[in-house]
Amino acid sequence: DAGVTQSPTHLIKTRGQQVTLRCSPKSGHDTVSWYQQALGQGPQFIFQYYEEEERQRGNFPDRFSGHQFPNYSSELNVNALLLGDSALYLCASSPGTGGVTGELFFGEGSRLTVL
Amino acid sequence: GDSVTQMEGPVTLSEEAFLTINCTYTATGYPSLFWYVQYPGEGLQLLLKATKADDKGSNKGFEATYRKETTSFHLEKGSVQVSDSAVYFCALSGASYKIIFGKGTRLHILP
């Protein structure tokens, strides 16, 4: 049973560029959440997708957008990259109750470096 | 808003030592509380959880008790092993779908 898979694992971009990160949830999970983890910090909630809709959003600008596909996989897009967007981006999946039960299953993350 | 504060690391202990990692929280209502662990080269994974006051979560020899009166959820283990070296995150889930994480505590266990 595959867990949460994310791609790419590492990428380097320059300021002003755009990036797309991808996530496949754990089998049987229909909810995907995205988190940003800066170096030495805890993960920060970006948003959650359920039934192809953004169900909740954290305190991130509109440059951060996402999408969920009918097969429950998800993408995170970041436009107009800033140096401060350099971080590990984590995808987490869960059953439809989302974060209420707290049992999120995380991928290993996509490490984004913005130069 | 809701928040989690945990002790700064890194914490370095010898094998078989007693471990405590302190965690306190601020939240409206009655949140659920969690400890997540991030082993080197692996994704975050749930270690234990407690969903109401006085509940004790336990797993892999680790324990934490939900203390509403002190708004705390300290992580303890009686005898740590080298394999416990990791980053530990205290977290809470309130009335919304998001999980709020602390900054993490890096634990080094020396053989």
Side-chain angles (χ1 to χ4, degrees), chain A residues 26-46:
Chain A
K26 180 177 168 64
S27 178
H29 287 181
D30 57 5
T31 301
V32 173
S33 302
W34 286 92
Y35 287 79
Q36 180 195 65
Q37 187 179 10
L39 201 60
Q41 301 294 315
Q44 299 290 314
F45 177 77
I46 302 175

Side-chain angles (χ1 to χ4, degrees), chain A residues 35 37 40-45 48 55-56 88 90 97-104 106-108, chain B residues 32 34 36 38 41-46 49 51 89 93-94 96-104:
Chain A
Y35 287 79
Q37 187 179 10
Q41 301 294 315
Q44 299 290 314
F45 177 77
Q48 183 182 90
R55 179 155 68 173
Q56 186 171 359
L88 181 67
L90 299 170
T97 49
V100 175
T101 63
E103 187 144 14
L104 299 178
F106 283 85
E108 294 186 29
Chain B
S32 295
F34 315 94
Y36 276 80
Q38 193 170 35
E42 298 184 20
L44 270 168
Q45 55 187 273
L46 180 66
K49 69 177 182 181
T51 57
F89 294 90
S93 173
S96 68
Y97 293 104
K98 65 182 179 181
I99 307 290
I100 295 171
F101 289 86
K103 292 185 176 182

Side-chain angles (χ1 to χ4, degrees), chain B residues 3-25:
Chain B
S3 64
V4 172
T5 303
Q6 60 183 108
M7 63 189 289
E8 300 266 337
V11 173
T12 302
L13 296 172
S14 297
E15 204 165 24
E16 299 182 4
F18 183 85
L19 168 71
T20 299
I21 300 178
N22 291 334
C23 172
T24 57
Y25 67 90

Side-chain angles (χ1 to χ4, degrees), chain B residues 71-93:
Chain B
T71 62
S72 65
F73 194 55
H74 305 320
L75 182 68
E76 297 183 334
K77 186 174 185 182
S79 177
V80 293
Q81 306 300 312
V82 172
S83 57
D84 294 326
S85 297
V87 182
Y88 292 82
F89 294 90
C90 186
L92 70 81
S93 173

